[in-house]
Amino acid sequence: MVINVKNLVKRYGDLIALDHFNLAVQEGEILGLLGPNGSGKTTAINCILSLLKYDKGTIEIYDQPMSPEAYDIKRQIGVVMQNVAVFNELTVYENIDYFCGLYVSDKQTRKKLVAEAIDFVGLNDFTKFYPKKLSGGLLRRLNIACGIAHKPRLIILDEPTVAVDPQSRNNILEGILKLNRQGATIIYTSHYMEEVEQICSRIAIMDKGKIIAMGTNEDLKKMIKSGEHINLELLNPEHLDLSAIKALPHIISAELTDHQLVVKSSRGKNNLIMILDHLKDQNIGIGKIYSEPPTLNDVFLEITGKELRD
Amino acid sequence: MQVYKALFKVIQKNRTLLMIYLVVFMVLALLLSGSYNPPQDTDFTKVKVNIAFINDDGDSQLVAGLKTYLAENANLVDIPDETQKLQDALFFRQVEYIVRVPDGFTQAMLNGEAVQLEKTTVPDSTSNIYMDLLINKYLNTVNAYTTNMPGLSQDDLTKYLAKDLAQQTEVTMISNGTHSVYAEKSGYYFNYLSYSLFAILILGVCSVMLVFNDTDLKRRNLCAPIRSANMNFQMILGNLSFAILTWLVLISASFIMYGSFMFTTTGLLLLLNSFVFTLAALSISYLIGNLVKSRGAMSAVANVFALGSSFIGGVFVPQALLGDNVLTIASFTPTYWYVKANNEIAAATSFNATNLQSIFTSMVLVLAFGVAVLGVTLVLIKQRRVEA
């Protein structure tokens, strides 16, 4: 077990930031911690890293109790904080060298590792730049390089793509997958469900300081009743009997906006064929059709009754 | 030594700002100490008063002896014996004292009778007293001979008088050491140096600590497997290196101004005292650096601490002129003890167990301030290591 958190409780006065939080992370996986802002993701990460005192519970990393003085454990962890944590007074190279040097004392080894980290995040052309001269995306990449340069076994990334342009975001996500392929276990927190779905092998959905659901992307979607979302462009919607559509089996809701019919179905087979047959019977022409599988937002919505991005 | 190296890179990045402070404070220190003029030495120089001597008694050996004696100790100016001219001479300060030997003076003196010389003087002139003393000395000596050796011839009397009055008491200034003209000037420079040093150290250390105490960077550093003691050691070592560099730059000016004097006991004690103060100032700066949150606060604190402690500690106004209450408050600052030691070092013409004990007591107190404040800072850092 890489991380084993049991019954973690963290209070800020009357506010319970973590409410008997449990988490188990296996070697080699990418675990996504997904939750809206304020759900307790960063608090959980800070407690795991011993940056915050907590009121109750236990945290073990690599089967050893984690504490501020657990230097052997810290040596195996790479951290990429939510806020960029670099020295504005040091160049890109100096920053990576500084953070790598906190873990690796041998100068030659460090030189090699720093070069690899620079190469990994694609900052080769910016090594002599000071952070203030870098764009938001490049700065995030520097932040990641500083966190992973020492080749840690466990990498914790706390919302590393906040305020990053789509191109840089894709680079970062590809990089994370690459690190995982190289053998690192990764914890990735985000409130962007698409990112989590894209890269995580297992996802833990958090709300109000608790994990409310956990599993693979598919497992989570199987947990809910909602099935696919069927979108149809109708050529002659005036002939549509919306109540008849709603009365069909497995249909949860149906809404017509202009020429666009959106039908939400519950889990079941042949829902699309059934709707198409019904429309054909009513002589309603169809322009475009597309079907969306349920998202993590649907999972979150069904469990909590609110949108993930509320 | 990653933290140490990074700390110096941060200092290097702030070097323009720090150099401006350093140059400004150094120039101020040089100007102020250069314009300071210590009180001049009061070496004794004999001054002769201009007097007029008028003899109404006729020629006698006794009067001639008096005239000769006065001529040795005053400048005799010839003024015609006319009232108007004598008054003019006094008014225009051609003479300050006119002595008139009355008729019958010699005989009366030889008979041991009470005789009074007539004098006309410039009112409130200090030279009057000096001349009175000289004349009384002559007359009293004559009186002593005529009383104790009746029948002594005038010839013999004047010989004895000449011999006795020629006696001088030799005064030799005895000192275990020499008091250089640079002693007080350098003392003043080193007093002012405390202000410059304090201000630069607060600004420099705070500039660095603001970077390292940035919440995100601090948390990131805390994630690394570096021991708290090691981190503090590197931080303190880095700041100590910066403090010593600053001290070296500031004392280099004293070597330029006072040259080889700085290698005398006085000079070396001033250097030692300033080094001890540097350590205390660094310790206080380190505490402030761990407390301030912004550059604005940094400048305010630097001014309040450096200027405030300098004012009440006797850097700008001598401690002797400060009130007891002010000095009592000031005694809780290292600046007070530093200045006190400096003043004692600069004032001492020689060093013995008594004054050295006082000087070193002040130094130990300054050092104790530094150690106590450093202890508080380390406790503060440890408490802040993990947030509640």
Side-chain angles (χ1 to χ4, degrees):
Chain A
M1 190 82 75
V2 176
I3 296 178
N4 192 8
V5 180
K6 284 181 185 167
N7 286 318
L8 198 64
V9 176
K10 170 68 188 171
R11 288 194 188 91
Y12 291 109
D14 292 335
L15 178 80
I16 301 175
L18 292 176
D19 185 4
H20 296 86
F21 176 83
N22 291 288
L23 183 70
V25 182
Q26 305 294 331
E27 183 94 49
E29 71 174 332
I30 303 180
L31 178 88
L33 264 183
L34 181 69
N37 289 329
S39 59
K41 302 184 298 291
T42 300
T43 304
I45 294 298
N46 284 340
C47 286
I48 289 170
L49 291 169
S50 280
L51 294 173
L52 271 179
K53 282 181 183 168
Y54 45 89
D55 300 286
K56 196 183 154 191
T58 58
I59 300 168
E60 286 184 355
I61 298 178
Y62 291 113
D63 301 322
Q64 299 289 318
M66 183 58 179
S67 71
E69 290 79 32
Y71 301 113
D72 288 337
I73 297 174
K74 285 184 176 182
R75 201 172 296 281
Q76 302 178 66
I77 305 174
V79 183
V80 178
M81 295 288 195
Q82 185 174 353
N83 296 330
V84 176
V86 294
F87 290 93
N88 287 324
E89 293 78 7
L90 270 58
T91 62
V92 165
Y93 185 92
E94 288 168 341
N95 264 298
I96 302 171
D97 182 63
Y98 169 82
F99 287 108
C100 187
L102 296 176
Y103 298 80
V104 181
S105 53
D106 182 65
K107 212 172 176 181
Q108 287 306 315
T109 312
R110 195 164 73 231
K111 201 174 172 184
K112 190 169 158 272
L113 289 171
V114 171
E116 283 175 15
I118 289 170
D119 201 39
F120 182 81
V121 295
L123 284 175
N124 303 63
D125 295 335
F126 304 95
T127 52
K128 288 181 181 170
F129 279 52
Y130 285 94
K132 281 192 175 172
K133 298 278 180 189
L134 298 178
S135 66
L138 293 177
L139 204 56
R140 286 276 165 189
R141 288 200 230 169
L142 170 61
N143 200 32
I144 292 171
C146 291
I148 56 104
H150 60 288
K151 291 236 177 343
R153 283 173 71 191
L154 168 65
I155 302 170
I156 297 175
L157 299 115
D158 189 9
E159 308 222 23
T161 57
V162 171
V164 170
D165 61 277
Q167 196 184 346
S168 292
R169 180 176 294 189
N170 283 335
N171 282 335
I172 290 169
L173 296 179
E174 281 168 22
I176 291 166
L177 287 170
K178 199 172 161 187
L179 286 167
N180 181 244
R181 284 196 294 273
Q182 288 170 357
T185 304
I186 289 165
I187 297 183
Y188 185 89
T189 80
S190 179
H191 60 271
Y192 296 127
M193 56 185 175
E194 302 85 358
E195 288 182 3
V196 173
E197 279 188 74
Q198 189 182 336
I199 64 166
C200 295
S201 51
R202 216 153 56 97
I203 300 160
I205 298 178
M206 282 189 76
D207 187 43
K208 293 179 180 173
K210 279 183 185 173
I211 289 185
I212 53 171
M214 193 163 180
T216 62
N217 192 12
E218 290 72 28
D219 289 343
L220 289 171
K221 286 173 186 173
K222 279 178 193 166
M223 285 165 66
I224 57 169
K225 282 190 255 171
S226 300
E228 60 197 325
H229 294 193
I230 299 162
N231 290 269
L232 302 112
E233 188 191 12
L234 305 183
L235 298 175
N236 46 349
E238 61 277 6
H239 297 129
L240 179 71
D241 180 2
L242 200 59
S243 56
I245 296 279
K246 285 179 180 174
L248 290 171
H250 305 302
I251 300 303
I252 296 170
S253 67
E255 283 177 26
L256 181 68
T257 312
D258 201 6
H259 284 249
Q260 201 71 30
L261 175 65
V262 180
V263 181
K264 287 185 182 177
S265 66
S266 63
R267 197 162 296 283
K269 289 179 181 174
N270 305 321
N271 288 338
L272 179 59
I273 294 167
M274 181 181 65
I275 293 166
L276 290 175
D277 286 345
H278 181 80
L279 293 173
K280 191 180 174 185
D281 291 345
Q282 292 190 357
N283 291 321
I284 297 172
I286 299 166
K288 293 174 189 170
I289 304 169
Y290 64 94
S291 170
E292 288 176 318
T295 63
L296 290 174
N297 190 44
D298 296 316
V299 177
F300 192 79
L301 180 66
E302 198 165 311
I303 297 172
T304 65
K306 60 186 179 185
E307 296 276 341
L308 189 58
R309 285 171 186 161
D310 276 355
Chain B
M1 298 294 272
Q2 288 297 99
V3 179
Y4 180 83
K5 282 193 272 183
L7 192 145
F8 256 83
K9 281 172 187 164
V10 173
I11 289 176
Q12 212 182 342
K13 196 77 179 153
N14 285 305
R15 67 182 181 277
T16 314
L17 178 75
L18 293 171
M19 283 303 286
I20 290 170
Y21 281 124
L22 195 62
V23 169
V24 167
F25 283 124
M26 232 173 117
V27 168
L28 273 174
L30 291 172
L31 286 176
L32 285 171
S33 60
S35 63
Y36 173 71
N37 286 314
Q40 296 300 309
D41 286 341
T42 49
D43 287 342
F44 176 74
T45 309
K46 196 171 181 178
V47 176
K48 290 186 174 182
V49 184
N50 290 342
I51 65 166
F53 187 89
I54 298 162
N55 183 12
D56 291 340
D57 189 37
D59 293 334
S60 71
Q61 285 182 306
L62 196 65
V63 172
L66 174 62
K67 192 175 181 181
T68 306
Y69 174 63
L70 290 178
E72 284 169 3
N73 296 290
N75 297 322
L76 294 183
V77 180
D78 280 333
I79 308 286
D81 186 11
E82 296 168 24
T83 307
Q84 185 65 42
K85 289 190 175 169
L86 288 171
Q87 284 176 347
D88 282 350
L90 282 173
F91 181 79
F92 293 111
R93 301 292 187 273
Q94 199 177 350
V95 294
E96 289 182 56
Y97 195 101
I98 300 167
V99 60
R100 182 180 292 275
V101 180
D103 185 27
F105 167 79
T106 306
Q107 201 54 52
M109 285 299 291
L110 291 172
N111 294 339
E113 295 167 9
V115 185
Q116 204 156 14
L117 292 177
E118 292 171 23
K119 64 170 182 177
T120 314
T121 64
V122 173
D124 301 326
S125 170
T126 50
S127 54
N128 297 345
I129 298 159
Y130 178 57
M131 290 311 300
D132 286 350
L133 284 171
L134 284 172
I135 292 166
N136 283 339
K137 189 179 174 184
Y138 186 86
L139 297 181
N140 288 339
T141 314
V142 172
N143 197 31
Y145 276 107
T146 53
T147 308
N148 296 302
M149 296 172 74
L152 192 68
S153 71
Q154 216 180 127
D155 189 36
D156 290 338
L157 178 62
T158 50
K159 279 179 188 168
Y160 287 140
L161 283 171
K163 190 182 171 189
D164 290 354
L165 294 171
Q167 293 289 322
Q168 296 276 344
T169 305
E170 277 197 26
V171 177
T172 309
M173 299 289 282
I174 299 169
S175 171
N176 291 335
T178 53
H179 201 230
S180 165
V181 288
Y182 287 142
E184 281 193 65
K185 278 204 163 200
S186 60
Y188 189 80
Y189 173 76
F190 274 87
N191 277 354
Y192 188 81
L193 180 137
S194 69
Y195 167 60
S196 310
L197 198 64
F198 217 156
I200 294 168
L201 286 186
I202 292 175
L203 292 167
V205 173
C206 285
S207 301
V208 172
M209 297 315 294
L210 273 175
V211 173
F212 276 90
N213 284 335
D214 171 78
T215 312
D216 296 322
L217 262 178
K218 198 174 165 185
R219 284 175 165 225
R220 180 64 190 83
N221 279 327
L222 287 172
C223 291
I226 179 165
R227 288 177 191 280
S228 173
N230 188 4
M231 187 92 177
N232 284 337
F233 171 73
Q234 292 190 48
M235 287 274 195
I236 292 167
L237 192 67
N239 282 315
L240 183 66
S241 306
F242 165 67
I244 290 175
L245 270 177
T246 308
W247 175 72
L248 284 173
V249 172
L250 287 173
I251 63 159
S252 66
S254 68
F255 282 94
I256 294 165
M257 287 191 294
Y258 312 119
S260 60
F261 170 76
M262 293 314 297
F263 295 102
T264 63
T265 311
T266 305
L268 291 173
L269 279 171
L270 287 172
L271 290 174
L272 176 67
N273 193 33
S274 65
F275 182 74
V276 171
F277 180 77
T278 304
L279 300 179
L282 171 66
S283 186
I284 293 168
S285 305
Y286 193 50
L287 174 66
I288 295 168
N290 277 290
L291 290 175
V292 295
K293 304 280 182 199
S294 68
R295 289 197 175 269
M298 176 182 88
S299 302
V301 170
N303 282 323
V304 168
F305 261 80
L307 267 179
S309 62
S310 296
F311 267 118
I312 63 171
V315 171
F316 304 124
V317 181
Q319 286 182 346
L321 300 180
L322 293 169
D324 288 343
N325 291 338
V326 175
L327 289 176
T328 306
I329 296 166
S331 66
F332 292 97
T333 68
T335 310
Y336 168 82
W337 296 101
Y338 167 73
V339 171
K340 185 173 177 283
N342 265 353
N343 291 344
E344 285 172 358
I345 295 165
T349 51
S350 64
F351 293 99
N352 51 45
T354 312
N355 59 17
L356 278 178
Q357 190 186 3
S358 174
I359 289 164
F360 282 117
T361 303
S362 296
M363 285 192 204
V364 168
L365 280 168
V366 172
L367 200 61
F369 266 105
V371 173
V373 173
L374 180 65
V376 170
T377 312
L378 292 178
V379 170
L380 189 80
I381 291 170
K382 195 174 181 183
Q383 281 185 339
R384 286 180 173 181
R385 193 165 163 82
V386 179
E387 291 171 38

